[in-house]
Amino acid sequence: MSLLAELRRRFARPPEEVRAVVADPDERVLAWGILARDAGWLVATSRGLRTVGGPGEDLLPWHEVGHARWTATTDGGGSFTVTPLAEMEPGVQARLPAVRHVLTDAGDLPATVRRRVDQTIVTSRRSPLPDRGGLLLVARRVPGQVAREWTVVFDDDADRDDPVARDIARQRLAEALAAEQPD
């Protein structure tokens, strides 16, 4: 990409349709990419990842992004595979089915998504379960909350219903919280 094209892209304003959807003065558009097949835009805002212009315009807050994997193509596009998290009960999250977004032009979106998701994660710890998989303890910054929020995500959703796995998760979570408390 030429220097002039790069400067134009960097200082370009978001499309009007994107600005219209992100009308709240407390939410800023950070980056956007053009979705394939005229499906609209994938937009990174100060609040989360948003689809605009296609079916189901929605916002996925940054602290609810479990995983976002970018696969680039040689033409400036690529695809994002985003795995959202959902709270199943207080302190326990589950991975929802991954959603794939194909982009014809990604712009600064991949770097912005990476930075924003990374900024929500304070720390994470993997803990094995006996005889199978494990669980992930994650402390995240949640907008509007002073304290970080610790959650557990099981590798296998079936382990959420296993009393032994739940006890281990509660124990690991208590240990993580205790380690943060000053003596």
Side-chain angles (χ1 to χ4, degrees), residues 1-169:
M1 180 181 293
S2 74
L3 179 61
L4 183 58
E6 176 67 24
L7 286 171
R8 268 195 198 121
R9 188 182 59 129
R10 196 167 285 281
F11 292 104
R13 290 184 57 177
E16 179 57 39
E17 295 89 337
V18 171
R19 290 194 313 266
V21 170
V22 183
D24 184 339
D26 292 334
E27 185 175 15
R28 297 178 338 275
V29 174
L30 305 174
W32 64 94
I34 301 169
L35 292 168
R37 294 183 283 291
D38 295 322
W41 296 268
L42 186 61
V43 182
T45 75
S46 53
R47 291 193 176 156
L49 196 57
R50 182 184 289 277
T51 54
V52 174
E57 292 181 359
D58 56 347
L59 174 72
L60 177 61
W62 293 119
H63 65 280
E64 293 178 10
V65 175
H67 190 268
R69 185 178 67 239
W70 171 247
T71 305
T73 57
T74 58
D75 61 359
S79 67
F80 256 119
T81 303
V82 179
T83 305
L85 297 172
E87 186 173 59
M88 305 311 288
E89 60 185 83
V92 179
Q93 292 180 315
R95 291 176 190 91
L96 296 177
V99 178
R100 186 167 175 253
H101 302 280
V102 178
L103 294 108
T104 59
D105 181 3
D108 294 330
L109 194 61
T112 301
V113 169
R114 169 81 184 222
R115 186 175 58 252
R116 283 292 169 150
V117 172
D118 286 351
Q119 286 173 346
T120 68
I121 300 171
V122 178
T123 187
S124 65
R125 300 177 191 157
R126 178 153 295 288
S127 184
L129 291 172
D131 303 325
R132 63 184 177 279
L135 54 91
L136 183 64
L137 296 166
V138 183
R140 290 184 182 260
R141 291 178 188 91
V142 178
Q145 293 183 11
V146 175
R148 53 185 152 190
E149 181 177 284
W150 280 91
T151 58
V152 175
V153 180
F154 289 94
D155 289 348
D156 184 352
D157 287 338
D159 289 333
R160 278 197 321 268
D161 298 326
D162 178 4
V164 172
R166 290 179 66 80
D167 284 344
I168 291 171

